[in-house]
Amino acid sequence: MTHHAIIVGGGIAGSAAALALRKAGITAEVYEARHDGGDYSGAALRLPRNGLNALRTIDAHDIVNDISYPVANTELSSGTGRHLGTVSFTGNGHNDVPRTMPRARLARVLRSAAADRGAAVTMNKRLIAATSRPGSVIATFDDGSTAEGTVLIGADGLNSTTRRLTFPSTPEPHYAGTHLVYGYAPASTAAPPSPDAFHIYWGRKATFGYTTAGGDIYWYANIASPEPLSTEEARDTETWRRRLVKLFRRDRTPAVDITRAATVILPSNTRTLDTLPTWHTDQVILIGDAAHAVPPATEQGAALALEDAVVLAQQLRSSQVAPAFETFEAMRRERVIRAGASRRSRTTHRRGVPRWIEQRSRDRRIAQAAQSGAMDPPAWLHEHQIAWD
């Protein structure tokens, strides 16, 4: 079918959608609100096999391999430093293990590849209106310019402007009860090397994880809190450094040394999005976090967005807009809801300060779950592949 796609959002979902659409023979224009696309938090992510499979389908696997590092395992330890177990991502004879990289770097290489393959990419264009007409949709931007296409794809993340404009009565994302702090520390930091694993420590007051796969240390802290961060709190790096040192100072882990040495500290609120009744109208559709944000603990946000991009392009390639949107949503909804529920609390620390007996009980449950295989990546999620027919 003859389509022209307007894609709002030049991050992972939007850039992958442009790549998939170009492979399907559909023209696409990408509009990113930021002048450099630098709004993807700077955090590192681990892209599981299903995300890599989606990239392979749109011939982008190799370019992502070039800017990422294999991280095959998750090592689990208590706050006392006692090893609790290992979760392997190399089961079933797979050589293709998850890849770790900064989120911004992944978005950047996908955006560049989309442009190289013929998608028009424009930065510093913020959507302010989307007007549907019979057979087309017009996007209006904050500089007064417009773009017209047969479809508009909202790939603009959890804070999606497209979603607000298209479904104005939909509730906003809400706070999920934890502060998630990401950061980087130099390779010279005094911390045990962890080049092929994310090492997660379940401490007295918070959870801490890191890897040295990229040379420098990629790390995060997960902190239960009844109240979300204010804007001012989220900006104050040195206050956060002191706070993290205080949280982890009684744990026998590398957390204090790493946070003291950190060159980047990026605090955020974990937020969830209630299930939307629908992801599309006649001419507008949402993909990725704009439609179905999943908890960070699942490590599936980017992978599911990549899958969305491929499936949507396949449906638009062979169908009119309305049936393409309906089939896409029918194919994707159950999977992303199930993925969002998968291991929802895997790396979430309990609120408050557990007593020593509660900590021991928690550590015992983690060790038993790791030993029994209950924490292994589920095959239905990680082995998912999309054939390009």
Side-chain angles (χ1 to χ4, degrees), residues 8 125-131 138-146 161-162 164-165:
V8 178
K125 289 275 192 177
R126 187 176 299 276
L127 183 73
I128 61 170
T131 307
I138 297 175
T140 302
F141 301 99
D142 56 353
D143 62 359
S145 63
T146 62
T161 298
T162 310
R164 294 189 186 106
L165 293 172

Side-chain angles (χ1 to χ4, degrees), residues 16-26 53-60 117 306-318 385-389:
L19 282 168
L21 289 165
R22 293 301 300 141
K23 180 165 184 175
I26 298 170
N53 290 336
L55 288 171
R56 188 177 287 107
T57 303
I58 56 174
D59 309 313
R117 297 180 193 180
L306 293 169
E307 291 180 12
D308 280 358
V310 177
V311 174
L312 180 58
Q314 289 178 321
Q315 295 308 310
L316 286 171
R317 174 186 57 173
S318 57
Q385 298 193 39
I386 306 168
W388 190 272
D389 299 325

Side-chain angles (χ1 to χ4, degrees), residues 221-309:
N222 192 322
I223 307 157
S225 174
E227 298 295 331
L229 296 170
S230 66
T231 302
E232 291 74 19
E233 287 178 302
R235 291 175 179 170
D236 193 344
T237 296
E238 292 309 313
T239 296
W240 264 104
R241 193 189 309 277
R242 292 191 294 270
R243 186 179 299 179
L244 291 168
V245 168
K246 184 176 180 180
L247 276 172
F248 293 116
R249 65 184 178 184
R250 295 182 61 195
D251 294 337
R252 293 198 290 272
T253 75
V256 168
D257 288 337
I258 290 173
T259 53
R260 279 178 172 159
T263 55
V264 175
I265 298 177
L266 301 162
S268 64
N269 294 310
T270 56
R271 291 179 297 158
T272 59
L273 181 66
D274 291 338
T275 302
L276 303 181
T278 182
W279 299 340
H280 71 274
T281 62
D282 290 345
Q283 309 294 147
V284 180
I285 192 163
L286 306 174
I287 66 171
D289 283 354
H292 51 69
V294 296
T298 66
E299 296 187 301
Q300 281 290 328
L304 292 172
L306 293 169
E307 291 180 12
D308 280 358

